[in-house]
Amino acid sequence: MYVDTHAHLFFPNFNGEIEEVLQRAKQADVNYILIPGTDISTSVKAVELAEKYDMIYAAVGVHPHETKEWKDDLIKDIEKISKSRKVVAIGEIGLDYYYDFSPRDIQIHAFRSQIDLAIDLDLPIIVHNRESNTDMMEIAREYALSSLRAHFHCFAGSSSDAKELIGMNHFLSFPGNITFKKADNLRHILKSIPPEYLLLETDSPFMTPEPHRGKRNEPSYIPIIAEKISEIHSVSVDNL
């Protein structure tokens, strides 16, 4: 049994195909899929899909790209949406200094606000981090003695960052980019992370693994990613 911990099935390129996508996932032994929202409207869509399909669960939150118009009142909206029994995390939240679509100080404020909400609700967070390692690690350290539980998806830090985050009892994951020919550094970092601290994700519809690169990604490709991780760690897929 596999779990895809990160798939944005509310994207327009899945419209009209959800049933087929879920059927292919089941055929690939993917039993559960977690859909993280990226703003209020997509969080609502994620919850609607989760309430419609037994195999889907949702996370709710505002992605750093969408924080440029952040207002603290949004916390009340996120909390309201999180009341669904199918919501299991706050996310996708975090920092992104690669695109810088939102001012960095606002990204940080929105991130901290949503972390605090997650702690209050006793929910884990799903973290987006791109080119923001210094600030990301500083914030993680601030919460190291709290009850925070985090999943750092599409891990973009160093081996030392990974070791430190694992020491805080957080989890990490890598999507299909670990199958790319030029991803030797990523595979080196992945090898340094004990498998018991790894989760599986596709990041659908992005990061499609080889040999399907260039096409839309979907949860049924999780076994490809699992096989690559098991190969890197020299363990069987079953053990992984």
Side-chain angles (χ1 to χ4, degrees):
M1 183 195 79
Y2 296 104
V3 178
D4 185 351
T5 63
H6 206 100
H8 299 291
L9 298 186
F10 51 74
F11 267 70
N13 56 356
F14 288 110
N15 285 353
E17 292 185 57
I18 289 293
E19 300 281 352
E20 291 85 351
V21 167
L22 296 183
Q23 187 57 40
R24 285 194 291 271
K26 290 175 183 176
Q27 290 170 351
D29 294 324
V30 178
N31 285 21
Y32 298 102
I33 300 167
L34 176 53
I35 302 180
T38 54
D39 57 17
I40 298 301
S41 64
T42 56
S43 292
V44 170
K45 289 179 182 176
V47 171
E48 288 173 349
L49 286 168
E51 291 180 341
K52 183 175 181 180
Y53 299 102
D54 288 343
M55 71 185 296
I56 292 178
Y57 286 81
V60 297
V62 179
H63 188 285
H65 287 345
E66 310 302 330
T67 58
K68 49 188 170 291
E69 297 179 2
W70 176 266
K71 298 288 187 292
D72 285 337
D73 283 350
L74 287 173
I75 285 293
K76 296 177 183 176
D77 296 331
I78 297 168
E79 183 173 8
K80 182 179 179 181
I81 303 167
S82 73
K83 298 301 183 185
S84 167
R85 65 180 182 84
K86 296 297 291 288
V87 171
V88 295
I90 299 298
E92 174 180 356
I93 63 176
L95 305 174
D96 192 310
Y97 296 171
Y98 180 79
Y99 285 109
D100 268 337
F101 287 158
S102 305
R104 295 184 181 185
D105 59 334
I106 296 178
Q107 289 189 47
I108 291 171
H109 175 68
F111 186 32
R112 282 200 175 103
S113 297
Q114 293 179 93
I115 291 174
D116 292 338
L117 174 64
I119 291 172
D120 288 344
L121 298 176
D122 193 26
L123 290 173
I125 60 171
I126 299 172
V127 181
H128 174 101
N129 169 28
R130 191 165 187 189
E131 303 292 338
S132 58
N133 275 2
T134 299
D135 285 347
M136 180 62 68
M137 293 304 297
E138 182 179 321
I139 292 170
R141 292 179 194 115
E142 288 175 13
Y143 287 92
L145 298 179
S146 74
S147 60
L148 180 66
R149 296 164 290 152
H151 167 202
F152 287 80
H153 107 94
C154 195
F155 186 67
S158 65
S159 294
S160 60
D161 292 335
K163 183 177 181 180
E164 190 173 354
L165 292 170
I166 287 168
M168 300 175 195
N169 290 315
H170 299 318
F171 288 82
L172 318 175
S173 64
F174 296 79
N177 57 358
I178 58 165
T179 69
F180 298 172
K181 292 179 181 178
K182 296 183 179 180
D184 288 339
N185 185 56
L186 263 186
R187 288 186 282 270
H188 175 75
I189 294 168
L190 170 60
K191 190 173 179 64
S192 74
I193 301 168
E196 58 267 31
Y197 286 97
L198 291 171
L199 300 176
L200 293 173
E201 68 156 314
T202 57
D203 198 14
S204 301
F206 313 109
M207 296 288 183
T208 312
E210 299 285 3
H212 305 289
R213 193 175 181 185
K215 301 176 182 177
R216 181 193 68 189
N217 200 4
E218 60 177 71
S220 62
Y221 294 153
I222 274 285
I224 299 172
I225 297 165
E227 286 164 10
K228 177 55 71 172
I229 294 174
S230 67
E231 174 190 318
I232 291 167
H233 272 284
S234 300
V235 298
S236 70
V237 174
D238 283 347
N239 283 340
L240 181 71

